[in-house]
Amino acid sequence: VRSAPEGASDRPSRRVVVVAGGPVLVEGPVDIECDGEPPLHVDRFLVALCACRRSRRYPLCDTSHRRCTTT
Ligand code: FES
């Protein structure tokens, strides 16, 4: 585990959950910056970020990962 950068330790840490084969769940609210797109503010209690790049609402998960079959 890496230590927090200087000055970051006084902020409360956020819980991030990586779901195998699914999204990355981040406690909200969050401000998302992605590939030169306008910043996206999401005011939800829990935000699901797409990790499979199949979402039509990328960077947010739209559950498209459930249709992904790799066997
Ligand atoms: S992780 Fe859910 S659509 Fe990509």
Side-chain angles (χ1 to χ4, degrees):
V1 176
R2 289 185 214 147
S3 61
E6 191 171 322
S9 61
D10 54 347
R11 289 184 285 172
S13 60
R14 288 184 192 260
R15 184 177 177 88
V16 176
V17 178
V18 179
V19 179
V24 176
L25 305 176
V26 182
E27 289 182 352
V30 295
D31 291 303
I32 303 168
E33 296 179 14
C34 182
D35 294 340
E37 296 290 323
L40 178 63
H41 178 78
V42 183
D43 201 22
R44 297 181 193 148
F45 175 74
L46 191 63
V47 180
L49 298 176
C50 177
C52 74
R53 309 264 319 183
R54 291 173 179 245
S55 174
R56 291 186 198 128
R57 298 178 56 222
Y58 191 85
L60 302 176
C61 172
D62 70 354
T63 70
S64 293
H65 61 272
R66 294 178 184 165
R67 294 192 298 270
C68 179
T69 56
T70 53
T71 53

